[in-house]
Amino acid sequence: MNELSRIISRIKFDEPLGSHCTMRIGGPARVLAFPEDRTELRALLGHLYRISMPFKVVGKGANLLISDKGFDGAIIILGDHFQSIEQVDTDVVQVGAGLSMASLAWQAARMGISGFEFAAQIPGTVGGGVVNNAGAFQVDFTNRVVSVTVFHANGDEEIIPQRGLGLEYRKSNLKGAQGIVLVSATFQGQRKSTEDIIPLIQEYGRKRNGTQPTSQYSSGCIFKNPGGKSAGFLIDDAGLKGSGVGEAYVSDKHANFIVNRGHATACNVLDLIHKIQDTVYNRHDIELEAEVEIVGEDILHKKAA
Ligand code: EPU
């Protein structure tokens, strides 16, 4: 571990992960590292590779359910040098994976590039957004990505073009891939005046704040929408709004959100996920698939049980 402290300037050991994710739930990570730039990231990956320590990159932890027992490996949060945005053509930007989705939307707007308005209210980073193909208002990254640059655990760098990413609704080939770090992405939008872009961002913001529990601890929509139907509608129709397990409950504002009242555990959330799945299946004959990513061996096994 001393070697790690030598390689990375910002590093913590046995750090509880609750304060690093939007659900505010999660036990400790053996290592929590904040590589500042590509040099530090390469050195970190090389070291983790040599000592065979698994790692996982986390953006703002917006789509995660982290086990109460934490993560027995290294959690990597990309530091300041990964938050760049550069206009490389009239309608093309190159963006660091650590940039927030909100900054992508607003900075592209200021450059007169439209197409990223949907991202303004999504509480994640560009890296997490592309890996999960995050979206809102029927828009996601599918037709926006030109290519991404990734680092492999062994230090190799690779540029993956859009067709290699397998982007579908809330899905990409990078989701769940081990030993890979997305470091930057190139996006193409459309030219539009800043004055015409900003009202759409503001309208999306009003809609989202009006229909979703944006000021409470959650990990966004907990289930994918099944085959064009709204999971929120199905859960609401099954009478589950307000029901809960421990301190985790189904939001009264939007039924596809599980909200942490303050002291919910990952087990509470997982039990509630199962309760919702069973109830919706019994009522609608539809299987809801979790959109949230579950981190931690122990709860993955609980899920399979
Ligand atoms: N509805 C209900 N009850 C509820 C929630 C929704 O009846 O508790 C009804 C609404 O009245 C509406 C329909 O369901 O008629 C659709 O609801 P909404 O417009 O809120 O959209 P959604 O399908 O529930 C999707 C995305 C959100 C995204 C919004 C806005 C998914 C799983 N959800 O929600 O994305 O913000 O559209 O575009 O695709 C996320 O992925 O984390 C997420 C929050």
Side-chain angles (χ1 to χ4, degrees):
M1 297 297 166
N2 280 346
E3 177 68 6
L4 276 169
S5 304
R6 202 183 53 74
I7 293 171
I8 297 287
S9 37
R10 275 183 75 203
I11 191 156
K12 293 180 175 185
F13 299 98
D14 299 317
E15 165 79 0
L17 291 171
S19 56
H20 300 281
C21 66
T22 56
M23 188 70 125
R24 292 290 192 276
I25 292 176
R30 193 129 73 97
V31 173
L32 176 62
F34 302 84
E36 275 308 303
D37 54 24
R38 289 180 178 214
T39 309
E40 275 200 8
L41 177 62
R42 265 187 206 291
L44 172 66
L45 293 180
H47 185 73
L48 297 175
Y49 186 66
R50 282 192 294 282
I51 63 173
S52 302
M53 186 185 282
F55 69 82
K56 167 148 194 63
V57 184
V58 165
K60 294 192 182 297
N63 196 40
L64 299 180
L65 176 61
I66 301 171
S67 158
D68 302 311
K69 292 194 173 148
F71 182 68
D72 189 21
I75 294 287
I76 300 175
I77 298 180
L78 299 176
D80 290 350
H81 280 79
F82 295 93
Q83 292 174 21
S84 58
I85 177 163
E86 193 188 340
Q87 185 168 7
V88 292
D89 204 338
T90 51
D91 53 359
V92 179
V93 284
Q94 205 165 53
V95 177
L99 188 76
S100 71
M101 296 279 275
S103 294
L104 168 64
W106 282 101
Q107 296 202 50
R110 280 183 209 110
M111 292 167 181
I113 302 178
S114 163
F116 305 100
E117 297 85 345
F118 76 95
Q121 298 289 321
I122 297 180
T125 58
V126 164
V130 172
V131 167
N132 293 301
N133 199 9
F137 307 104
Q138 275 79 48
V139 187
D140 58 28
F141 280 116
T142 305
N143 298 312
R144 304 284 183 273
V145 181
V146 177
S147 65
V148 301
T149 301
V150 298
F151 282 3
H152 290 273
N154 64 4
D156 288 350
E157 183 173 333
E158 185 188 1
I159 295 175
I160 306 176
Q162 204 252 15
R163 64 179 179 281
L165 287 172
L167 291 164
E168 289 175 31
Y169 169 68
R170 302 295 190 272
K171 202 171 145 191
S172 81
N173 293 341
L174 297 176
K175 194 167 183 174
Q178 305 290 311
I180 213 168
V181 182
L182 194 159
V183 291
S184 66
T186 303
F187 298 125
Q188 180 155 31
Q190 306 95 38
R191 290 299 305 164
K192 208 175 188 184
S193 77
T194 303
E195 294 68 40
D196 288 339
I197 298 172
I198 287 178
L200 189 54
I201 293 184
Q202 290 168 332
E203 187 195 326
Y204 282 168
R206 277 192 296 276
K207 276 193 184 155
R208 198 159 171 121
N209 288 327
T211 57
Q212 298 179 6
T214 46
S215 58
Q216 289 175 291
Y217 300 145
S218 82
S219 46
C221 284
I222 206 94
F223 298 104
K224 293 181 183 178
N225 280 346
K229 295 199 168 65
S230 164
F233 169 80
L234 297 171
I235 299 165
D236 190 352
D237 191 57
L240 287 165
K241 265 186 174 170
S243 63
V245 175
E247 294 234 319
Y249 76 106
V250 178
S251 165
D252 289 317
K253 201 166 181 185
H254 194 302
N256 198 12
F257 283 68
I258 291 181
V259 170
N260 173 10
R261 277 203 169 105
H263 299 97
T265 63
C267 276
N268 291 158
V269 176
L270 208 56
D271 287 345
L272 187 52
I273 285 175
H274 292 152
K275 179 179 165 183
I276 296 168
Q277 285 172 321
D278 289 347
T279 311
V280 168
Y281 184 76
N282 289 335
R283 183 174 173 96
H284 295 286
D285 208 15
I286 290 174
E287 286 183 24
L288 291 178
E289 185 192 342
E291 179 184 319
V292 67
E293 186 186 348
I294 295 174
V295 177
E297 284 299 313
D298 55 316
I299 50 175
L300 276 174
H301 293 149
K302 185 172 158 60
K303 189 181 157 220

